[in-house]
């Protein structure tokens, strides 16, 4: 009997080692000879072969196991699924394969009641986060549970994935979650200091990038946690001076992404990326002034380096007729008028009303005053569309000779519109070897302040 147990243990060890190293031939040979090994697990953590393959990114072995009708939601000792471990270790290909095989994104572990979405956000694996969110959007979860509810799903301590990403200094994950509908001002339960918002946790972690993202999506600098502290006080306590400067209530408010406007919510990805970049650039200029301790004024978009007014590499017909500094990148439909991303953003952000107290008014085109229904990225015109006098046949724009007149006239569109930009717009558990699996005591971020 002892010899039989020893033989079985040897086969188990050989299988787990082969799975870990991606030796598909050995895995197939062992399971063909001993099919029952497929249902065996490691002694202490109860990791199945599927867990080991997912954690180590062995996509060929994992695919072979799933093709053999292995349950994609098999649980280990901590009730972690293979999908959770793949998200923890950033194995995107394994995450995608498990989701394709029907892995359940609504499984909760026994450590802190976290899902695969929490794991991806906590460890900062943005590609895994995107794959999980994409799968949730097109799965029965969206229909039965609701996609917005899934994005803001809480763990056993009341932390959403956004809370974890902000605390762990994961700005890219913070951005993805906010873009997907994460609540920027949600408060925690027992995680960290009770009542903490993502902004409190980013202030505690000292991440300027996370704070910048959260403020740009409307995070409230006045919101207090259960101890009565605003994020500014948390940053001061943990000696994050730069973060405290941005969170100081005496500092100018940042530009906030106007996500509630229909014209913004319906942007195509390319146009949205251009405008988001313009917003972040404007806020970075604001931050420079704050960190220098000077009085804040939102500057005009910087003039491109190395471009002179007397040099014609960039046609004057391509310059924004509002600021005369940036190339037109955004077009208003259906009127066809064009602006640069910075001026478009200032137009959409200017005098944005509070959606809880007043009606949202869509922006209007500064040239023809028609309501802006759609914004698209400008398509480059061929040289044949521009006549010899320097005028674009498809869209009338001022020539070089008109530039000084438009910039100096007191009642010009440029002078009146550029004032918009100066107005306050809106009130991995460390490095891990591929063979290691996380244990429950490695969640070290949950200590209270």
């Amino acid at each position: 009997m002892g010899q039989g147990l020893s033989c079985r243990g040897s086969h188990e060890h050989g299988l787990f080692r082969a799975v870990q190293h991606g030796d598909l031939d050995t895995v197939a040979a062992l399971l063909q000879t001993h099919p029952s090994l497929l249902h065996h697990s490691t002694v202490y953590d109860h990791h199945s072969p599927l867990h080991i393959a997912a954690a180590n990114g062995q996509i060929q072995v994992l695919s072979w196991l799933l093709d053999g009708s292995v349950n994609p939601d098999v649980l280990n000792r901590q009730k972690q699924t293979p999908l959770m471990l793949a998200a923890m270790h950033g194995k995107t290909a394994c995450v995608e394969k498990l989701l394709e095989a029907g892995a359940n994104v609504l499984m909760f572990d026994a450590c802190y009641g976290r899902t695969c979405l929490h794991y991806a956000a906590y460890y900062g694996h943005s590609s895994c986060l995107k794959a999980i969110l994409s799968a949730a959007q097109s799965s029965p979860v969206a229909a039965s549970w609701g996609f917005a509810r899934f994005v803001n799903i809480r763990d056993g301590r009341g932390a959403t994935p956004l809370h974890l990403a902000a605390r762990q200094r994961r700005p890219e994950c913070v951005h993805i979650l906010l873009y997907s509908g994460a609540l920027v001002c949600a408060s925690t339960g027992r995680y960290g200091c009770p009542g903490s918002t993502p902004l409190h946790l980013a202030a505690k972690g000292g991440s300027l990038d996370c704070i910048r993202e959260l403020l740009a999506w409307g995070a409230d600098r006045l919101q207090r946690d259960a101890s009565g502290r605003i994020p500014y006080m948390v940053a001061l306590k943990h000696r994050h001076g730069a973060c405290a400067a941005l969170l100081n209530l005496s500092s100018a408010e940042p530009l906030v992404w106007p996500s509630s406007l229909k014209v913004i919510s319906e942007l195509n990805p390319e146009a949205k990326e251009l405008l988001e970049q313009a917003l972040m650039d404007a806020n970075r200029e604001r931050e420079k002034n704050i960190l220098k301790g000077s009085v804040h004024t939102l500057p005009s978009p910087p003039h491109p380096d190395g471009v002179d007014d007397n040099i014609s590499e960039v046609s004057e017909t391509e310059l924004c007729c509002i600021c005369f500094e940036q190339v037109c990148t955004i077009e208003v439909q259906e009127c066809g008028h064009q602006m640069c991303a910075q001026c478009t953003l200032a137009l959409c952000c200017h005098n944005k009303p509070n959606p809880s107290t007043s009606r949202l008014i869509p922006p209007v085109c500064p040239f023809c005053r028609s309501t802006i229904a759609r914004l698209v990225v400008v398509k480059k015109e061929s040289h044949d569309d521009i006549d010899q006098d320097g005028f674009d046949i498809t869209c009338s724009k001022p020539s070089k000779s008109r530039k000084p007149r438009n910039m100096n006239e007191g009642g010009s569109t440029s002078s009146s519109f550029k004032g918009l930009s100066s107005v306050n717009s809106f009130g991995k558990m460390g490095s891990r070897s591929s063979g290691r699996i996380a244990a429950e005591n490695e969640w070290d971020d949950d200590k209270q302040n």
Side-chain angles (χ1 to χ4, degrees):
M1 181 180 293
Q3 184 178 3
L5 289 173
S6 176
C7 182
R8 187 185 70 175
S10 176
H11 290 318
E12 280 184 351
H13 181 72
L15 174 64
F16 298 148
R17 184 172 56 188
V19 170
Q20 180 177 345
H21 294 290
D23 188 351
L24 182 58
D25 292 336
T26 302
V27 171
L30 282 169
L31 290 178
Q32 185 176 6
T33 308
H34 307 282
S36 63
L37 289 177
L38 187 61
H39 305 290
H40 289 194
S41 59
T42 59
V43 175
Y44 180 75
D45 290 316
H46 298 176
H47 293 312
S48 69
L50 199 61
H51 283 101
I52 298 172
N56 288 278
Q58 301 299 349
I59 185 63
Q60 288 186 318
V61 175
L62 182 132
S63 299
W64 188 84
L65 291 171
L66 290 172
D67 291 342
S69 300
V70 173
N71 177 16
D73 294 321
V74 60
L75 302 177
N76 64 8
R77 184 186 185 92
Q78 300 299 332
K79 297 193 181 302
Q80 295 166 321
T81 64
L83 180 58
M84 293 176 188
L85 298 189
M88 174 193 298
H89 293 277
K91 309 302 181 183
T92 309
C94 292
V95 167
E96 292 173 346
K97 184 62 181 180
L98 286 161
L99 291 169
E100 182 184 329
N104 189 352
V105 296
L106 281 177
M107 300 286 286
F108 296 82
D109 68 15
C111 299
Y112 290 103
R114 290 174 178 168
T115 66
C116 57
L117 194 65
H118 289 99
Y119 277 84
Y122 182 90
Y123 291 103
H125 300 305
S126 56
S127 57
C128 295
L129 193 69
K130 288 178 181 178
I132 294 168
L133 289 170
S134 177
Q137 225 167 0
S138 58
S139 72
V141 171
S144 61
W145 227 62
F147 180 70
R149 186 180 176 191
F150 175 71
V151 173
N152 293 286
I153 193 169
R154 294 180 179 271
D155 66 10
R157 297 191 176 188
T160 66
L162 182 60
H163 286 119
L164 301 182
R167 176 62 184 91
Q168 294 304 116
R169 304 167 58 95
R170 315 294 190 188
E172 190 172 353
C173 292
V174 166
H175 178 81
I176 293 168
L177 289 165
L178 289 170
Y179 180 89
S180 300
L183 298 176
V184 71
C185 290
S187 299
T188 61
R190 294 180 292 113
Y191 179 79
C193 179
S196 295
T197 65
L199 196 58
H200 284 95
L201 297 170
K204 181 179 179 181
S207 173
L208 274 173
D209 288 334
C210 289
I211 288 174
R212 185 182 295 118
E213 287 285 348
L214 292 166
L215 289 175
W217 282 79
D220 187 1
R221 296 187 296 180
L222 282 169
Q223 192 166 343
R224 298 179 181 272
D225 61 18
S227 298
R229 298 177 304 177
I230 59 176
Y232 169 69
M233 298 168 64
V234 175
L236 283 181
K237 176 184 176 181
H238 293 276
R239 300 184 179 181
H240 300 307
C243 296
L246 296 187
L247 296 170
N248 193 333
L249 300 182
S250 64
S251 299
E253 287 277 1
L255 287 174
V256 180
W257 180 250
S259 55
S260 52
L261 291 175
K262 184 178 180 182
V263 66
I264 294 296
S265 62
E266 294 181 353
L267 284 174
N268 63 51
E270 190 179 3
K272 186 166 188 176
E273 184 178 354
L274 276 175
L275 291 178
E276 284 182 339
Q277 186 59 51
L279 182 142
M280 298 309 290
D281 288 344
N283 279 342
R284 282 190 179 91
E285 290 298 324
R286 158 193 167 271
E287 291 166 16
K288 290 178 184 177
N289 290 310
I290 291 174
L291 297 178
K292 287 178 183 176
S294 61
V295 177
H296 165 62
T297 54
L298 185 65
S300 299
H303 200 286
D305 293 336
V307 178
D308 188 274
D309 286 343
N310 297 320
I311 300 176
S312 59
E313 280 88 346
V314 177
S315 170
E316 286 293 329
T317 61
E318 296 177 4
L319 288 177
C320 176
C321 294
I322 298 170
C323 66
F324 291 107
E325 293 176 340
Q326 299 293 310
V327 175
C328 290
T329 53
I330 299 294
E331 180 177 308
V332 179
Q333 292 191 337
E334 300 292 328
C335 65
H337 291 115
Q338 299 176 1
M339 298 172 280
C340 67
Q342 287 84 352
C343 290
T344 306
L345 185 70
L347 176 69
C348 294
C349 292
H350 180 56
N351 289 336
K352 175 178 177 289
N354 185 338
S356 63
T357 59
S358 58
R359 182 171 57 89
L360 289 174
I361 301 175
V364 296
C365 176
F367 301 104
C368 64
R369 311 305 295 171
S370 62
T371 299
I372 296 177
R374 189 180 178 207
L375 297 171
V376 296
V377 175
V378 171
K379 294 182 179 178
K380 297 295 182 182
E381 302 289 347
S382 64
H383 293 290
D384 295 337
D385 293 332
I386 302 176
D387 66 12
Q388 294 180 352
D389 295 326
F391 284 86
D392 190 336
I393 295 173
T394 60
C395 180
S396 178
K397 293 182 186 242
S399 66
K400 192 170 186 175
S401 62
R402 291 179 58 190
K403 178 179 176 182
R405 179 172 61 84
N406 280 337
M407 291 186 71
N408 295 326
E409 285 181 354
S412 67
T413 303
S414 175
S415 61
S416 61
F417 187 78
K418 284 185 73 175
L420 297 179
S421 62
S422 63
V423 178
N424 182 17
S425 300
F426 302 96
K428 289 186 215 164
M429 271 191 245
S431 178
R432 311 174 59 84
S433 63
S434 61
R436 292 185 60 196
I437 308 294
E440 56 185 319
N441 61 354
E442 290 181 292
W443 294 93
D444 58 356
D445 64 310
D446 298 292
K447 297 179 180 179
Q448 294 193 1
N449 294 3

